[in-house]
Amino acid sequence: MYLAPFAHHRPTELAGVFEALAKYGDDAAVYAGGTELLLALKARVLRYEHLIDIKRVKELSGIRIEGQDLVIGALTTHHQIANSTLVKANAPAYAALSEGVANIRVRAAGTLAGNLAFAEPHSDPPSMLAAMGATVTLASAGGTRAVSMREFIVSEFTTMREENELITEIRLPVTGTDAGYAYRKFGHLERPAVGASAGFVMNEGKPAYRLWFGAIGDHPIHASDLEDAIVGTPPSSLRDVLPQAAEKFAAKITATSDLHGSADYKQHLAAVLIQRAIQAACASADTKGHADV
Ligand SMILES: Cc1cc2nc3c(=O)[nH]c(=O)nc-3n(C[C@H](O)[C@H](O)[C@H](O)COP(=O)(O)OP(=O)(O)OC[C@H]3O[C@@H](n4cnc5c(N)ncnc54)[C@H](O)[C@@H]3O)c2cc1C
């Protein structure tokens, strides 16, 4: 199906985007790669009189280090993230995840900010960004605010972003040398049926784990009970407690039955994938400086 007629706007500065959003309100949407939005417009699931192309807005570009944060500009595509030397050096697990998002055509055009703003549940980045303690920076004509990735996605296609706000950047704490993260996913369709994100960190000298699931429900799920069940357990002893704890936690997840699989099947995947992700996260951390790990 063809796109319905619309007016096209191409601001080159943030101020121009805010001006257009203020002027056209609900009748306007911004877009970057267009990989989600244009499909929805063609299918007539969404309809906007005004489309605001933000690709020329310079303030939204680039990847940089600021203090202890890796800062990813809103226009950065999954492909740029996967191939960035800065991301590979400072958040290697996130670079690896980006390499596995969608297919090369979508990765080359689709942005991380577009992925997060759309909040399609069958998505890779959100659970990993939550595990890593990332924040999303939102800006409007009235100012900026930071929202934790742990709270940003409320439910399917719904986020904490107000309609007059733009995602300007995503901030990830740089991965310390004694920490490690890993993502494991499975799906038979293009998008993941279940994604499991795991972090291994040393917290006050003790091993601790950061565990999140994606795609399995309508928003990323924090496996806090599973974290509590294995906190303090060094990687070498995980095999004694993890399989049982992972299965127990997975059975309690409110999973969505859909084309990607039944709720039962997804719970099974979750139990398997989180164990693999935890093992990989531990293996990627350098624990030589911690005698008891
Ligand atoms: C065939 C296919 C397969 C896919 N497979 C996967 C997969 O395996 N894993 C996965 O994680 N994802 C997958 N995706 C989703 C993909 O990651 C997203 O389509 C892409 O990242 C969206 O970015 P975009 O720049 O194209 O967004 P757009 O389509 O331009 O915009 C999407 C939405 O975000 C809003 N938006 C865009 N930028 C901003 C901003 N800076 N601030 C506020 N709102 C903004 C738009 O208004 C729109 O509502 C797939 C998509 C397709 C089409």
Side-chain angles (χ1 to χ4, degrees):
M1 199 182 278
Y2 294 109
L3 291 172
F6 59 88
H8 198 214
H9 306 270
R10 287 173 156 180
T12 52
E13 290 174 3
L14 266 182
V17 181
F18 297 143
E19 206 175 293
L21 286 174
K23 191 166 174 190
Y24 303 116
D26 287 354
D27 289 335
V30 301
Y31 75 96
T35 57
E36 295 282 26
L37 191 67
L38 293 187
L39 289 183
L41 293 175
K42 277 187 183 172
R44 307 279 162 116
V45 177
L46 293 175
R47 173 86 206 267
Y48 295 103
E49 304 285 330
H50 298 268
L51 291 186
I52 308 165
D53 178 357
I54 58 173
K55 283 195 289 296
R56 286 165 186 75
V57 179
K58 288 185 191 63
E59 296 105 307
L60 302 177
S61 293
I63 301 177
R64 63 184 192 278
I65 294 288
E66 234 178 68
Q68 286 306 301
D69 285 344
L70 176 67
V71 185
I72 300 178
L75 291 176
T76 315
T77 64
H78 302 296
H79 181 68
Q80 286 169 332
I81 295 171
N83 291 286
S84 156
T85 46
L86 265 188
V87 183
K88 285 183 189 177
N90 293 288
Y94 195 75
L97 175 148
S98 300
E99 184 66 44
V101 169
N103 55 54
I104 183 61
R105 287 174 64 196
V106 173
R107 281 199 297 280
T111 60
L112 172 57
N115 178 300
L116 301 181
F118 203 62
E120 140 74 56
H122 293 280
S123 168
D124 296 299
S127 66
M128 183 59 135
L129 293 175
M132 295 178 113
T135 55
V136 176
T137 306
L138 296 169
S140 67
T144 62
R145 63 181 177 128
V147 178
S148 164
M149 254 321 289
R150 294 172 160 228
E151 289 154 13
F152 182 69
I153 295 179
V154 179
S155 63
E156 55 184 354
F157 307 112
T158 309
T159 70
M160 300 274 283
R161 183 178 75 87
E162 301 290 342
E163 281 186 1
N164 63 345
E165 287 180 317
L166 207 62
I167 297 178
T168 52
E169 61 193 25
I170 295 95
R171 285 178 173 258
L172 280 75
V174 165
T175 304
T177 48
D178 60 359
Y181 290 87
Y183 178 68
R184 292 293 181 267
K185 65 172 169 178
F186 188 81
H188 66 282
L189 301 173
E190 199 139 24
R191 299 173 192 236
V194 177
S197 297
F200 168 81
V201 294
M202 292 303 293
N203 192 7
E204 297 176 356
K206 285 197 182 132
Y209 300 86
R210 305 282 179 258
L211 309 175
W212 282 75
F213 290 101
I216 190 165
D218 68 357
H219 64 286
I221 291 173
H222 187 192
S224 52
D225 288 356
L226 182 54
E227 287 179 359
D228 292 345
I230 62 174
V231 66
T233 310
S236 54
S237 305
L238 277 176
R239 74 177 80 87
D240 301 334
V241 287
L242 182 56
Q244 235 187 340
E247 273 177 35
K248 194 171 157 194
F249 181 81
K252 287 192 294 186
I253 298 177
T254 308
T256 313
S257 288
D258 57 19
L259 283 177
H260 297 260
S262 66
D264 281 4
Y265 173 63
K266 290 185 185 179
Q267 287 171 333
H268 171 70
L269 284 179
V272 173
L273 293 171
I274 198 68
Q275 293 182 63
R276 292 181 185 171
I278 292 170
Q279 281 156 2
C282 294
S284 70
D286 179 359
T287 53
K288 286 195 285 290
H290 302 280
D292 51 344
V293 174

